[in-house]
């Protein structure tokens, strides 16, 4: 058990971090924050444009800066981007500041869920299956290492997946009290 007042969701592209995360935040009374959306809001442009102008390195730096700030809040559910776990500092902040939930998804599930999605710059390649497989080789061991709880991916809608997550989280998350606003950074 990792006692914390925060839930952090990690997992591959298309695992449902944002859609399930919103429902979990509502259920647990947490503020919902999507890291990719925060990057877009702070930059004033979408993630694709950040990648085009600054490359993946520039995006990752912006992502890390925001992850540091957002993970210091209390009472949040933070849905990370799939690659946010690549930086060692990000991993440390996630483990130290929250209960980490890994939403798993097979490559086949990812392909199905992302079939019409054109917004993800790392998937703008002819062979998405090969790209997702290559990312999984690098990222899955990291997700496994970070996770306080792994939630197996299953077919079905967001509602059923959210209920499954709630059942598992309730069994494993030792929720710490949220500090008063005077003590938040």
């Amino acid at each position: 058990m990792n006692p914390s007042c925060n839930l952090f969701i990690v997992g591959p592209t298309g695992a449902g971090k944002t859609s399930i995360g919103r429902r979990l935040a509502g259920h647990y009374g947490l503020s919902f924050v999507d890291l990719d959306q925060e990057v877009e809001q702070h930059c004033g442009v979408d993630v694709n444009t950040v990648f085009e102008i600054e490359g993946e390195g520039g995006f990752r730096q912006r992502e890390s800066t925001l992850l540091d700030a957002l993970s210091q809040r209390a009472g949040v559910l933070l849905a990370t981007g799939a690659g946010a776990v690549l930086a060692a500092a990000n991993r440390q902040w996630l483990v130290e500041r929250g209960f980490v939930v890994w939403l798993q998804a097979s490559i086949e599930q990812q392909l199905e869920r992302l079939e019409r999605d054109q917004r993800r710059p790392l998937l703008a390649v002819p062979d998405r299956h090969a790209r997702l497989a290559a990312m999984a080789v690098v990222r899955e061991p990291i997700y496994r290492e970070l996770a306080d709880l792994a939630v197996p991916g299953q077919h079905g809608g967001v509602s059923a997946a959210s209920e499954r997550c709630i059942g598992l989280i309730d069994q494993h998350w030792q929720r710490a009290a949220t500090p008063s606003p005077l003590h938040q950074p």
Side-chain angles (χ1 to χ4, degrees):
M1 296 257 182
N2 176 12
S4 177
C5 60
N6 295 325
L7 285 175
F8 299 148
I9 300 186
V10 300
T13 301
K17 295 180 297 293
T18 299
S19 53
I20 292 170
R22 282 188 201 284
R23 289 182 182 232
L24 296 179
H27 177 81
Y28 291 109
L30 301 171
S31 299
F32 176 76
V33 182
D34 180 280
L35 188 55
D36 284 346
Q37 290 173 1
E38 289 292 317
V39 170
E40 290 179 345
Q41 183 177 343
H42 280 78
C43 292
V45 296
D46 65 19
V47 169
N48 279 334
T49 303
V50 176
F51 265 76
E52 286 174 20
I53 296 170
E54 299 180 359
E56 185 175 358
F59 171 79
R60 295 289 175 211
Q61 180 56 50
R62 289 178 180 276
E63 179 181 62
S64 290
T65 299
L66 284 168
L67 177 61
D68 180 24
L70 295 168
S71 66
Q72 290 184 58
R73 294 181 183 174
V76 298
L77 186 144
L78 175 65
T80 67
V85 300
L86 297 173
N90 292 355
R91 295 193 297 271
Q92 181 179 348
W93 296 326
L94 290 168
V95 167
E96 291 176 354
R97 300 174 183 169
F99 183 84
V100 180
V101 177
W102 171 22
L103 294 184
Q104 299 173 321
S106 69
I107 293 170
E108 289 71 27
Q109 288 169 322
Q110 291 175 271
L111 287 168
E112 179 183 318
R113 294 171 185 169
L114 300 167
E115 184 177 18
R116 292 181 186 84
D117 189 312
Q118 300 300 317
R119 297 190 63 225
R120 299 168 200 262
L122 293 178
L123 294 183
V125 296
D127 188 349
R128 283 184 161 195
H129 188 282
R131 174 62 59 91
L132 290 169
M135 290 192 299
V137 166
V138 172
R139 296 174 181 183
E140 282 193 13
I142 298 170
Y143 297 142
R144 184 172 292 108
E145 177 187 325
L146 293 177
D148 293 301
L149 174 65
V151 179
Q154 296 178 357
H155 290 283
V158 172
S159 181
S162 299
E163 290 303 316
R164 195 170 54 256
C165 285
I166 289 167
L168 290 168
I169 290 168
D170 285 349
Q171 292 175 32
H172 295 92
W173 181 31
Q174 182 180 345
R175 189 170 185 175
T178 304
S180 68
L182 297 175
H183 297 97
Q184 292 190 36

